[in-house]
Amino acid sequence: MTAPGRELSDLDALLTGPVPATGPTVSEGDPATGEWTVTRGAGFVIAPLWTGKPLTGVYTPEWNAAEEADKAQLTSLVRQLDDRYGPHRQVAMRVPLFRKLAGDPMPALFQALCDEDLLGDLAVWGPVPTGRPETLTRQLAVSLSRSDGDAPAILCAVVSDHPITELPEAG
């Protein structure tokens, strides 16, 4: 994970980096810690940008302060990206969550987000200018998620070669 403030440079690298055109969805982790580092699938890459502090043993009001700090991290990044790419649009993760719980199929990108417990709504921009002709159609999204109450929040990025749109209610 990167230190706070490095998110934009990491996003630039993801936007201009390789995105698999085909193939299965594969998640990778750090060999030493097992901590998730990236997920790649046909037409997308998902990567963590920042991780908050674990909340094990933390109680109110420190809990509330930690959650507010995590949300502030997301809000700051979204503002910077809005300044850079224009207003974002929201893509809710409610339908993918319900599909996950029901075991219903969904597009690989949303399945990968659910598999990593990245269930926070997505702020999406795109297509975004990347400065490289072969990557001009890329979509960018960021999200803040916490897999359970004590786990650290994860600010993640999604880069996709396809539009990122909200899933319809019925699959």
Side-chain angles (χ1 to χ4, degrees), residues 52-72:
K53 296 178 183 174
L55 297 179
T56 306
V58 176
Y59 301 97
T60 308
E62 292 85 10
W63 180 289
N64 294 341
E67 283 197 329
E68 288 303 315
D70 295 340
K71 289 177 188 173

Side-chain angles (χ1 to χ4, degrees), residues 147-166:
S147 62
D148 68 40
D150 291 345
I154 297 175
L155 179 60
C156 76
V158 176
V159 172
S160 175
D161 282 345
H162 309 291
I164 301 170
T165 58
E166 197 152 325

